Amino acid sequence: MPSLSELLERNGKYSNTDNPPASALQFPLLRPPSMATPLPTGSFAACSLQPRIPALQLLAPKPNAAASAACAAVRRGSGHRAGATKSSLSTVCEPLGPDRPVWFPGTAPPPWLDGSLPGDFGFDPLGLGSEPESLRWFAQAELMHSRWAMVAVAGILIPETLQKWGFMEEFNWFTAGEREYFADPLTLFVVQMALMGWAEGRRWMDYLNPGSVDIEPRFPNRKNPTPDVGYPGGLWFDWGNWGRGSPEPVMVLRTKEIKNGRLAMLAFVGFWFQAVYTGQGPLDNLFAHLADPGHCNIFSAFTSH
């Protein structure tokens, strides 16, 4: 194929000739506008060729249909991700597709639950999260209650297990406040209020102004990630770097956390009812139920009081 300079020289050579060779006619649009042959007004050729195409664009290879479709798909996907990040409550997790699982098969989730929240199965029959600010508040409230419930359930089951194995004296979680500790109750209460007040105050400031509470150490060659509200991450809270990376594994881990938190909240409510109705801990009630399931169950607990 001749080079661009040869084509331009050839077109200039034959521009004033009445019968140029066929090779020169292969690139009629390379002629300067002043040397181009005028086309009849209103003809199809005049309409289609009037906006002249630059020579470099003519010589460039045209993309095939598959490449064009792939580029269009990438552009659509990029636009979807950008819009999803902007409208969702998370800067890491992306909204799930319309085929995501919902709490009741066959139902459509409400529009404000787009799947960007961990554990979002479209359950909001009362429409409590229809307002964006309310949805943001409820999401954070559920996350905090879930984490406290998981800590509480572990604090109930672990000491009771150690007591069964003989590593602790007789222990009941509902009488733990009556035990003697290394300090008097007033001192423990004041210290707890001071420490928890400081932590909760910083969490509240991060809720009002996301990213304003940054406790990450600064390193020269390390860029600190922008955390989501409720997920501080970093070296202090995510030393394994599990909560960073592509959105899919992050969403899986956060969904596991919220599921275990919901289960822990239900478990704690069950522990509370057991303590009220039987006066025993969860392991004692479990062993009693396994020994006599027909008489030691939830129905007998309600009928005996």
Side-chain angles (χ1 to χ4, degrees):
M1 182 176 181
S3 63
L4 178 61
S5 59
E6 295 176 354
L7 293 174
L8 294 176
E9 182 180 358
R10 185 180 305 172
N11 277 269
K13 180 178 179 181
Y14 296 108
S15 58
N16 297 324
T17 307
D18 294 336
N19 298 314
S23 60
L25 295 177
Q26 293 177 0
F27 300 93
L29 299 181
L30 292 176
R31 300 177 181 178
S34 59
M35 299 181 180
T37 304
L39 296 172
T41 305
S43 65
F44 176 79
C47 297
S48 59
L49 298 180
Q50 198 65 28
R52 292 175 174 82
I53 306 173
L56 294 179
Q57 186 174 350
L58 277 174
L59 299 178
K62 296 182 179 181
N64 54 26
S68 302
C71 294
V74 170
R75 287 194 296 269
R76 288 194 301 269
S78 302
H80 173 72
R81 287 193 295 271
T85 304
K86 182 177 179 181
S87 61
S88 62
L89 299 180
S90 172
T91 59
V92 178
C93 300
E94 297 179 353
L96 301 178
D99 56 343
R100 62 187 176 97
V102 293
W103 70 280
F104 193 81
T107 60
W112 55 87
L113 296 179
D114 59 355
S116 60
L117 291 173
D120 176 13
F121 295 96
F123 181 79
D124 190 11
L126 301 180
L128 300 178
S130 56
E131 296 293 333
E133 190 60 29
S134 300
L135 178 61
R136 182 167 174 260
W137 173 265
F138 287 138
Q140 290 300 309
E142 182 188 31
L143 181 62
M144 291 298 107
H145 281 81
S146 298
R147 290 172 176 171
W148 279 114
M150 286 188 284
V151 173
V153 169
I156 293 172
L157 294 178
I158 293 176
E160 191 168 344
T161 303
L162 295 177
Q163 184 257 329
K164 296 292 183 185
W165 290 347
F167 292 98
M168 290 183 63
E169 299 178 359
E170 185 177 355
F171 173 82
N172 286 319
W173 69 270
F174 44 86
T175 59
E178 303 173 358
R179 300 174 66 90
E180 294 291 335
Y181 296 96
F182 59 90
D184 59 278
L186 180 60
T187 302
L188 292 175
F189 175 76
V190 172
V191 172
Q192 182 179 0
M193 289 297 293
L195 295 177
M196 290 193 61
W198 176 80
E200 288 297 303
R202 291 178 67 84
R203 188 176 67 84
W204 174 248
M205 291 303 300
D206 187 64
Y207 176 82
L208 296 178
N209 187 14
S212 61
V213 181
D214 189 6
I215 60 174
E216 277 298 292
R218 303 290 179 178
F219 295 100
N221 299 324
R222 181 178 182 271
K223 181 180 179 181
N224 291 339
T226 302
D228 286 344
V229 177
Y231 299 93
L235 295 178
W236 296 105
F237 298 98
D238 188 17
W239 53 268
N241 204 27
W242 293 342
R244 292 293 157 187
S246 58
E248 289 79 9
V250 175
M251 176 64 87
V252 170
L253 292 176
R254 293 184 181 184
T255 302
K256 289 180 179 180
E257 180 191 28
I258 202 66
K259 283 184 175 181
N260 283 278
R262 291 168 179 172
L263 182 62
M265 287 189 284
L266 291 176
F268 183 78
V269 173
F271 294 170
W272 186 78
F273 274 103
Q274 286 179 343
V276 170
Y277 283 98
T278 65
Q280 296 178 337
L283 293 184
D284 291 333
N285 284 281
L286 176 62
F287 294 149
H289 172 71
L290 294 177
D292 189 6
H295 295 86
C296 296
N297 50 50
I298 187 173
F299 302 106
S300 61
F302 281 119
T303 56
S304 61
H305 289 75

